Amino acid sequence: MKRKVLLGLLAALGLGFAQKTLVFGANGEPVSLEPGNITDGISIYVQRQIYDTLVDFKPGSTEVTAGLATSWYSSQDGKVWTFRLRQGVRFQDGTELTAEAVKFNVERWWDPKNPTRIDAAARYEIWPELFGGFKGDPGSLLKEVQVVDKYTVRFVLTQPFPAFPAAIGSGYFGIASPAAIQKDGARYGSPTGSAVGTGPFRLVEWRPGEQIVLERNPSYWKKGFPKVDRVVFRVIKDPAARLAALKAGTIDFTTDIPPANLKDLEADKNLDPVFRPSFNVGYLALNPAYKPLSDPRVRQAIAMAINKKAIVQAFWGKLGVTDGHFTPPSMKAFQSPKVTDYEFNPQKAKALLAEAGYPNGFDLELWYMPVSRPYFPTPKEIAEAMAADLSALGIRVKLQTKDWASYLADRKKAPGFQAYMLGWTGDYGDPQNFYDPHFACPIADLFDASGQPLCVKELGDLLTKAATTPGLEERKRLYQQADELTFSLALRIPIVHSQPLLAKRKNISGWTPSPLGSESFETIEKR
């Protein structure tokens, strides 16, 4: 009898029952829950549950739709964007969403001297990657943020930027409570601090290395959502362990399942394979700061020595394609017909290497990620396959890795990693989002011989022009030129465009994966 009473009490509180709690198998741990101060997809996935953005995207697509802003428009010259905010929205701490709150967030991301920045060591590096630079930088696209009235905010740009609404709506830029940030200071967004947005779930607990617990936001502005009371992000880095947990029913759904497990999923009567629309690139970065890699002939030789088709077939099967384009196949209109792929030809590659002065090869440190990602579900094994191919040229590869947060940060510390694996899932449906974070000057994670961030001026100028040109046909022409130039430079070798494999138990419904790599769990139900 006592047990029934206890269960009834728990049910009334929305606690303790599987049908009220979603358990997500996370492939790693967030770097931070502070918006604007992250670049990794794991952090974004958790943040999407806590925060909303000004502009959202329609489920399963890259098409923009209303978020915290109900409408927006640009000036005739494309340099001023005005957003009208949704009224009556409150942060999870009870404070109101206003234009001042939006300005507070944006100026923290944009202005290195802003006194509300909570940590002097914080990089906020995604802002210059997407918007050309910080306040005071010559390349900064943002000139000013203006509060027009309580619910209207205006962005004044230095030049036209047609993709601005989609860019400011990307998952990095959740709008946080100014009061919570000011209260927590340097603890905000960390395991010992708070994370307060307007989203469907609010942070309850973050146990580093184990799990993050979120609970339903009772004042969420979307009526009838979310559909469950709690979400638990359980950290399970190993893909095989995540799949085992899914089969055992200790997690309800997960991402980044190795494609080789597709048949296993299809054969399990309790599970469903789920496919995220392909919108990514997994690449091998080659850093010119390391002398052998400063010669483009060496980089091109490496590109020709890696049997990309065999690797993709072995590790992705029908869920991956490889080509020479840095942008995914869905952006074909912006890709040059002159670019196909690097020829797999070890003999020619060896001759090119000898021509560059390395007939006997050289030593190379190749860094692989410690976590599985949509573009590299089994990073170590893929790195081993590339290393085996490179050994045919006499390149002696030493595989390296480190924890995820350090991996992301240290590759940007001069002179950087010699060669490393990483990838990118698009944040919005424009080629600028693939090119600028990886090739616009200065390139944050590739360096020149003096240890300065690399700048290929011809490419940088081309990308600036492409990003700010309003005419679609002219933008296509410019990005096709960028496609040809990045291919010949071979600074980042595209290895795969994958269709990420996800999985859920059959009693989970309402999950529509986004091509952008993460989505809100507000629509998910558990029977």
Side-chain angles (χ1 to χ4, degrees):
M1 178 63 72
K2 288 182 178 179
R3 183 174 182 274
K4 290 183 178 179
V5 172
L6 177 60
L7 292 177
L9 177 61
L10 290 172
L13 293 173
L15 302 174
F17 279 97
Q19 69 268 24
K20 293 291 185 181
T21 300
L22 282 174
V23 183
F24 178 79
N27 61 9
E29 188 165 30
V31 173
S32 171
L33 295 183
E34 180 199 359
N37 197 19
I38 54 163
T39 60
D40 67 298
I42 298 171
S43 295
I44 292 176
Y45 226 145
V46 182
Q47 289 196 23
R48 280 217 182 264
Q49 317 314 318
I50 299 171
Y51 304 100
D52 295 307
T53 48
L54 283 180
V55 173
D56 205 349
F57 299 90
K58 290 186 176 180
S61 81
T62 61
E63 183 180 349
V64 294
T65 189
L68 290 178
T70 57
S71 62
W72 52 90
Y73 60 90
S74 73
S75 59
Q76 190 170 0
D77 64 3
K79 294 183 179 181
V80 179
W81 284 93
T82 303
F83 292 76
R84 186 69 177 168
L85 300 181
R86 194 178 299 276
Q87 298 185 30
V89 176
R90 293 195 172 273
F91 291 103
Q92 294 152 4
D93 59 6
T95 57
E96 187 179 11
L97 171 76
T98 63
E100 287 286 359
V102 173
K103 181 179 180 181
F104 175 95
N105 278 264
V106 174
E107 290 190 333
R108 290 178 64 253
W109 305 328
W110 171 50
D111 185 1
K113 297 180 180 179
N114 190 293
T116 67
R117 281 199 170 189
I118 61 177
D119 182 356
R123 298 173 60 91
Y124 298 89
E125 61 197 70
I126 194 61
W127 183 270
E129 287 185 5
L130 297 191
F131 298 106
F134 291 120
K135 185 176 183 179
D137 292 343
S140 176
L141 287 172
L142 183 61
K143 182 178 181 181
E144 186 180 5
V145 187
Q146 300 174 347
V147 172
V148 179
D149 59 41
K150 187 175 183 179
Y151 300 110
T152 308
V153 62
R154 180 171 292 154
F155 298 88
V156 181
L157 309 183
T158 58
Q159 53 194 8
F161 184 20
F164 182 77
I168 200 67
S170 61
Y172 308 108
F173 303 121
I175 304 299
S177 162
I181 290 173
Q182 291 170 324
K183 179 182 177 181
D184 271 12
R187 293 189 306 116
Y188 187 85
S190 75
T192 61
S194 66
V196 181
T198 61
F201 297 96
R202 58 188 184 186
L203 178 65
V204 174
E205 178 187 48
W206 181 354
R207 295 209 305 263
E210 297 181 28
Q211 65 181 26
I212 293 175
V213 180
L214 312 177
E215 68 179 15
R216 189 178 192 273
N217 175 10
S219 60
Y220 188 43
W221 54 273
K222 289 186 183 180
K223 300 305 178 186
F225 297 96
K227 297 293 187 178
V228 296
D229 294 302
R230 290 164 76 85
V231 171
V232 177
F233 282 79
R234 186 164 296 160
V235 178
I236 309 174
K237 294 183 179 180
D238 181 63
R242 285 201 307 279
L243 182 56
L246 187 69
K247 288 184 174 184
T250 56
I251 63 174
D252 297 311
F253 61 133
T254 189
T255 59
D256 302 327
I257 296 293
N261 293 122
L262 176 57
K263 290 184 178 179
D264 193 17
L265 288 172
E266 292 172 334
D268 193 314
K269 65 180 181 180
N270 296 313
L271 305 180
D272 286 324
V274 180
F275 303 98
R276 187 182 299 285
S278 178
F279 196 60
N280 62 34
V281 60
Y283 61 81
L284 173 65
L286 302 175
N287 186 1
Y290 181 49
K291 190 175 185 302
L293 301 181
S294 65
D295 191 323
R297 292 172 296 181
V298 173
R299 301 195 300 267
Q300 290 164 1
I302 288 175
M304 287 191 290
I306 296 174
N307 192 345
K308 298 200 302 172
K309 287 185 178 179
I311 288 174
V312 169
Q313 178 59 40
F315 291 99
W316 287 270
K318 65 181 181 180
L319 298 181
V321 297
T322 187
D323 56 35
H325 306 289
F326 198 75
T327 51
S330 61
M331 291 187 171
K332 185 177 180 180
F334 298 94
Q335 296 173 346
S336 172
K338 296 178 182 178
V339 173
T340 53
D341 204 352
Y342 301 98
E343 177 189 6
F344 174 59
N345 191 325
Q347 290 74 30
K348 186 183 291 187
K350 193 168 181 62
L352 197 57
L353 208 60
E355 181 184 312
Y358 299 95
N360 300 315
F362 52 88
D363 296 326
L364 179 69
E365 292 183 352
L366 195 166
W367 291 76
Y368 65 90
M369 299 129 51
V371 298
S372 58
R373 299 299 296 130
Y375 33 80
F376 288 134
T378 52
K380 183 180 180 181
E381 291 80 0
I382 297 166
E384 289 171 341
M386 290 194 287
D389 285 342
L390 294 178
S391 68
L393 302 190
I395 297 177
R396 299 168 292 278
V397 175
K398 180 180 179 181
L399 296 182
Q400 303 268 47
T401 192
K402 58 175 58 182
D403 73 89
W404 186 224
S406 298
Y407 187 95
L408 292 172
D410 290 355
R411 78 189 202 280
K412 296 188 175 184
K413 296 177 182 177
F417 297 160
Q418 293 177 6
Y420 73 89
M421 294 165 59
L422 202 61
W424 186 262
T425 296
D427 303 302
Y428 52 91
D430 192 278
Q432 180 264 351
N433 180 236
F434 278 82
Y435 281 110
D436 281 19
H438 298 94
F439 298 104
C441 293
I443 302 175
D445 57 352
L446 299 178
F447 299 85
D448 60 24
S450 67
Q452 295 300 308
L454 186 67
C455 176
V456 182
K457 189 175 186 305
E458 179 186 1
L459 179 57
D461 291 347
L462 180 62
L463 293 178
T464 297
K465 186 175 181 181
T468 57
T469 297
L472 178 59
E473 292 306 314
E474 177 63 8
R475 294 186 80 230
K476 288 180 181 178
R477 186 185 70 80
L478 293 169
Y479 278 118
Q480 286 174 2
Q481 290 182 21
D483 190 23
E484 296 169 15
L485 187 51
T486 54
F487 180 80
S488 65
L489 287 169
L491 292 166
R492 303 185 197 269
I493 311 301
I495 302 297
V496 69
H497 302 289
S498 71
Q499 182 173 23
L501 178 60
L502 295 60
K504 68 177 183 67
R505 294 189 66 83
K506 285 190 179 293
N507 62 336
I508 300 299
S509 61
W511 185 24
T512 305
S514 167
L516 303 175
S518 60
E519 58 283 323
S520 171
F521 294 164
E522 65 189 35
T523 60
I524 300 179
E525 297 187 74
K526 183 175 181 178
R527 299 189 301 277

